[in-house]
Amino acid sequence: MRRAFSLLVVAIAALAGAVQAAPATRIGVVLAGSGLNFWAAMSQGMHRAAEDFHVELVMRSPSDGMSLGAQPNIQLRMIDYLVKNGVAGIVLAPEPLQDVATPISVAVPTVLVDRASTDYKAISIVSTDNYAAGRTAAMSLVPVLHKGARIAVLRLAPTISSTTQREEGFLAVASEMGWRVVIAPYVGYQFRETEARVHKVLSGDVGRLDAIFAPNETTAYGALRVVEEMPAGTRPRLVVFDWRPEFLAALEHSVVYADIMQDPYRMGYQSVETLIAALQGHPPRATIFIDVVTVTRANMNEPAIRAAIANYNR
């Protein structure tokens, strides 16, 4: 009897070990880049969600801008790799596809993050309400600009839906307020090239611009570098998007007038959480918006703002 009991204990222990050793659900992630602070913070949110929900992340993201330049459609190859390696679902920050029949139907459930896309069939989109955020950026300037104010909008690229929506939201308010948009070029998505293009397009208007809007991290960084070189009395009010450590000092010294800051950490967390819930049979909402906050010199030290900034530095 004692021997039978011992064998039963051994069998239960072996079974428990087998359960513990069962492979975790694998979630694939393909972002649109890896170098920007935005993508780094989003990745941190995804990894925290993976820990909380006991899944394994398999990430395959291109270098920033690679999909738009040297290697178009590289995300498709990454998605194919992930599917062939058995992921249960994919979180995707989609770059535009070229010369491919769309919409693409991925073989596993797919959640889009950061931006919408008609190139893919997806069960949900987790992002900023980018059009509304562009309006928020413009509204920050309403108290300090007059009708006829001269404005520059440093556009990113025509194929990126998220920044295009921000630009359009900003431009809608500019039209409503009677501001004159005198500069609105596409300045690109690589730091050095963008800064050079920003310098070129702004060089003829030093002292004559009232405000500048930069709708993402790369355009914001380029604009900051150019504006901080201007004599203090000639600087336009600079409204930027996203967050970099340099923006803190720029806000303190009034080189940046306002920063419309997304929460990529929460966006990343929510996208993984949404996909896991769907895999468990809970249909997600088609669109999930993550709020932005407006950071200014006046509020930058408030606890809620500092907490939002900390999401970029976990």
Side-chain angles (χ1 to χ4, degrees), residues 30 60-62 73-83:
V30 180
R60 291 291 185 274
S61 299
N73 302 340
I74 187 174
Q75 286 186 321
L76 282 183
R77 296 197 291 276
M78 293 176 173
I79 291 168
D80 182 62
Y81 168 86
L82 292 170
V83 170

Side-chain angles (χ1 to χ4, degrees), residues 24-25 46-56 269 272-274 276-277 280:
T25 299
M46 291 176 166
H47 282 289
R48 180 53 190 267
E51 292 176 9
D52 288 350
F53 295 102
H54 310 292
V55 301
E56 178 186 350
Y269 190 103
V272 171
E273 182 179 23
T274 298
I276 292 168
Q280 294 173 347

Side-chain angles (χ1 to χ4, degrees), residues 145-155 170-171 174-175 178-187 198 200-213 230 236-237:
L145 293 186
H146 55 81
K147 185 176 181 179
R150 293 169 55 88
I151 306 296
V153 177
L154 303 174
R155 309 188 75 162
F170 186 97
L171 291 168
S175 176
W179 303 336
R180 296 173 56 207
V181 180
V182 296
I183 297 174
Y186 289 105
V187 295
V198 170
K200 182 177 180 179
V201 300
L202 296 182
S203 60
D205 283 270
V206 174
R208 297 191 295 164
L209 282 174
D210 295 295
I212 298 171
F213 175 50
M230 298 178 181
R237 291 179 172 88

